[in-house]
Amino acid sequence: MTSYPLSDEAATLAFGARLARVLRMGDCVALRGELGAGKTTLVRGMIQSQLGNIEVPSPTYTLVQTYDMPTYELWHCDLYRLERPQDAYELGLIDAMDEIVSVIEWPDRLGDLLPDDALEISVEFEGAGRVVKLTGWDDRDV
């Protein structure tokens, strides 16, 4: 596991931009953290670094927002409201995973459907800022 301190929103956006550069089609990113920890801000940094200053809403109510990035399609998923892991099939998420980059908030809602090789990101409160902890990113130059 590798940790990176993030002092503020700008640092979180910049770190998201770094992550976007090393993602590849077929990656599944399991994004964990408490409410308000900065998960959506991190994803906004990924997307805006590649697509410019576009609106990146939280997919809390839509469950999935898709973005056509330059080298892959990114699905930003918030599965907090998913009632059963099997409901992810209805979203098309499970069938699409090999052809997209999926960034999944509340990944535990997938249960056994979460890929074993998912890249883990944990955003945690630390003092006045945040710390991001990465697991499974060993072969990536973040």
Side-chain angles (χ1 to χ4, degrees):
M1 177 177 47
T2 308
S3 298
Y4 299 89
L6 303 174
S7 58
D8 55 19
E9 182 177 0
T12 304
L13 293 168
F15 193 75
R18 288 172 55 184
L19 293 173
R21 290 192 300 269
V22 299
L23 291 172
R24 308 185 274 257
M25 187 172 59
D27 283 344
C28 176
V29 178
L31 185 54
R32 304 175 191 282
E34 296 177 33
L35 288 171
K39 297 181 301 292
T40 298
T41 301
L42 186 70
V43 177
R44 184 176 302 118
M46 292 177 185
I47 295 164
Q48 289 181 343
S49 71
Q50 303 277 315
L51 300 180
N53 194 24
I54 65 167
E55 182 180 358
V56 180
S58 172
T60 300
Y61 297 104
T62 59
L63 301 182
V64 177
Q65 296 281 350
T66 63
Y67 301 90
D68 290 322
M69 307 289 271
T71 58
Y72 52 82
E73 183 176 356
L74 186 145
W75 287 27
H76 179 199
C77 308
D78 184 329
L79 302 184
Y80 183 78
R81 295 177 45 233
L82 202 69
E83 293 184 18
R84 304 171 304 132
Q86 293 76 15
D87 292 342
Y89 282 103
E90 292 178 29
L91 297 173
L93 176 61
I94 303 305
D95 294 330
M97 279 187 165
D98 289 339
E99 300 171 4
I100 63 168
V101 169
S102 53
V103 180
I104 303 171
E105 297 185 37
W106 306 101
D108 294 340
R109 302 284 190 180
L110 283 179
D112 292 340
L113 297 177
L114 182 68
D116 292 334
D117 62 349
L119 304 166
E120 301 276 338
I121 299 177
S122 176
V123 183
E124 301 173 11
F125 293 100
E126 185 173 275
R130 311 284 194 275
V131 63
V132 172
K133 297 178 179 178
L134 305 181
T135 305
W137 294 75
D138 299 335
D139 66 335
R140 313 287 174 108
D141 187 22
V142 177

